Amino acid sequence: MITRKISTALLLIAACIASALPYAAIAQQSKNVSPVAPRRELVEAVVREAYQKFKDDTSGKNADYIPYLAKVDSKLFGIAVVTTDNQVFAVGDVDYSFSIQSISKVFTLALAMNELGADEVFKKIGSEPTGRAFNSPIAVVDMPTHTGNPLVNAGAIATVSLVSGATADEKWNKILDFYGRVAGEKLVLIDEVYKSEAATNTGNKALSYLLAKYDRIYADPFESVDVYTKQCSVGVNTKQLARMGATLANNGVNPATGEQVIKSEDVAHILSTMAMAGLYDGSGGWAWSVGLPAKSGVGGGIVAIAPGKGAIAVFAPPLDEAGNSVKAQKVIDYVSEKLNYNLFSPSSVSLK
Ligand code: GLN
């Protein structure tokens, strides 16, 4: 009798668990899917339109202070959107690997925050726009923090110096591995870019010594510049760059691998820094017209983040005076307007 009761109870428990399973699976799935990720057909159409509209735009000029960059084909053009639920939309030269350049600064910042916490990084680097060119020594002298923010060269070299490691090589390998986890696939150095930049980076070396004068660099200055130069020479294609952005949009979780690569509590700090300084002295105009945190690199890439929704990455080498890809700015402006992504617009979260 007692045994029968026990086995009935066990059966009941088993039935309950079994019936709860599909719900658990659904709950798990809906936890991972953003309620605001955009509709597939819409994104597809807008990305195609943007490509057609801007493909023949030839304004701007390749960076030439790094000799390699002057030789990159100015007509290369790729657009990719990756959403927080890992839909990928890509058109143009999206498999071409270009140097990530300054966009790397965002991810080394994330790594330093993973290691030290946001408060410590803020204390040591700060987050104030400089209103000057990205490589300005005057900003280092003038700014009360000297480092300015982690997205200009001086602040970025200081951020590299914060990353832990017994040797410069150990730091570099850690940074490269981290970028790969943010992208969801292994990334590699473009050796020719590194050599070209290492042979001409006297300005960055000067910045590192200025930082030393103000006690705002936390490891050997030249070693830090060397690791920084390598991180700028990492190759990414437009799709990989969009996925790196989507990891930020997805609260630090890579939408392809599911790994929490960046701490969720750091994401808002990183995006706010991008909003203020991601396009250097072009950041004010960018916030005014596009309203999305973004980061540019002199290799011709820009990635913009729509929190909770996804990221848009564009690659087109010709730059404006501030060092931001002209075509990439136009495309992101167009796409984010059509998708109603502007963060400062209440309608972007469906408030009519
Ligand atoms: N490696 C480049 C430099 O240090 C990065 C600049 C950029 O992309 N804005 O000048």
Side-chain angles (χ1 to χ4, degrees):
M1 181 67 183
I2 293 179
T3 358
R4 191 172 326 139
K5 266 194 182 152
I6 292 176
S7 54
T8 316
L10 282 177
L11 269 176
L12 266 173
I13 293 169
C16 286
I17 293 174
S19 65
L21 266 181
Y23 299 105
I26 289 166
Q28 182 58 34
Q29 195 183 35
S30 57
K31 211 179 95 200
N32 292 336
V33 173
S34 166
V36 288
R39 277 192 308 114
R40 171 153 212 108
E41 310 72 49
L42 178 64
V43 185
E44 223 157 48
V46 170
V47 167
R48 261 179 230 297
E49 265 165 44
Y51 184 82
Q52 287 307 326
K53 192 169 162 68
F54 298 108
K55 72 177 184 345
D56 300 320
D57 189 317
T58 56
S59 38
K61 193 173 156 297
N62 282 29
D64 56 8
Y65 74 98
I66 299 170
Y68 177 98
L69 296 180
K71 292 184 305 192
V72 175
D73 181 356
S74 325
K75 288 197 279 305
L76 286 164
F77 180 34
I79 309 176
V81 172
V82 174
T83 63
T84 47
D85 50 5
N86 203 34
Q87 301 177 64
V88 182
F89 309 89
V91 51
D93 303 308
V94 288
D95 293 314
Y96 179 88
S97 190
F98 56 95
S99 57
I100 188 169
Q101 294 296 343
S102 275
I103 306 168
S104 66
K105 294 165 176 169
V106 171
F107 302 102
T108 299
L109 168 64
L111 175 60
M113 286 165 111
N114 270 0
E115 288 194 344
L116 295 167
D119 289 352
E120 195 59 19
V121 172
F122 184 75
K123 235 190 288 164
K124 293 208 147 71
I125 312 289
S127 184
E128 297 303 331
T130 64
R132 295 195 179 266
F134 60 81
N135 50 7
S136 168
I138 298 165
V140 179
V141 176
D142 273 358
M143 301 281 293
T145 61
H146 305 293
T147 31
N149 66 68
L151 304 183
V152 291
N153 289 13
I157 294 164
T159 307
V160 167
S161 78
L162 287 178
V163 173
S164 69
T167 61
D169 252 8
E170 201 178 307
K171 287 188 193 204
W172 155 239
N173 286 320
K174 188 190 279 183
I175 289 172
L176 184 63
D177 172 70
F178 183 72
Y179 290 3
R181 284 161 51 211
V182 180
E185 54 195 289
K186 200 173 168 330
L187 299 177
V188 292
L189 180 83
I190 307 179
D191 202 47
E192 263 191 275
V193 177
Y194 167 63
K195 290 206 174 99
S196 180
E197 183 162 349
T200 51
N201 64 357
T202 46
N204 285 337
K205 287 182 180 144
L207 290 178
S208 75
Y209 256 70
L210 255 188
L211 289 170
K213 167 181 152 91
Y214 298 110
D215 285 329
R216 293 292 280 188
I217 190 153
Y218 309 100
D220 181 80
F222 280 11
E223 251 177 40
S224 304
V225 171
D226 190 51
V227 174
Y228 164 82
T229 307
K230 284 189 177 133
Q231 78 172 38
C232 289
S233 310
V234 168
V236 283
N237 65 38
T238 315
K239 285 188 280 186
Q240 290 166 332
L241 184 59
R243 185 163 290 105
M244 292 177 94
T247 297
L248 281 166
N250 198 33
N251 223 9
V253 177
N254 182 305
T257 64
E259 188 192 355
Q260 179 89 50
V261 195
I262 298 169
K263 285 190 194 150
S264 61
E265 65 263 34
D266 292 341
V267 170
H269 299 302
I270 297 167
L271 296 184
S272 71
T273 306
M274 291 170 79
M276 284 182 301
L279 269 72
Y280 311 114
D281 36 337
S283 300
W286 178 258
W288 176 279
S289 53
V290 182
L292 286 181
K295 185 72 204 83
S296 62
V298 289
I302 301 186
V303 63
I305 319 298
K309 299 175 179 172
I312 313 165
V314 183
F315 167 59
L319 310 178
D320 65 12
E321 289 290 301
N324 303 316
S325 164
V326 177
K327 216 139 78 174
Q329 290 178 79
K330 290 181 182 172
V331 169
I332 295 171
D333 191 353
Y334 182 85
V335 170
S336 62
E337 158 119 43
K338 292 273 177 192
L339 297 179
N340 202 359
Y341 271 179
N342 188 328
L343 268 194
F344 300 108
S345 165
S347 71
S348 71
V349 284
S350 304
L351 192 65
K352 301 274 184 262

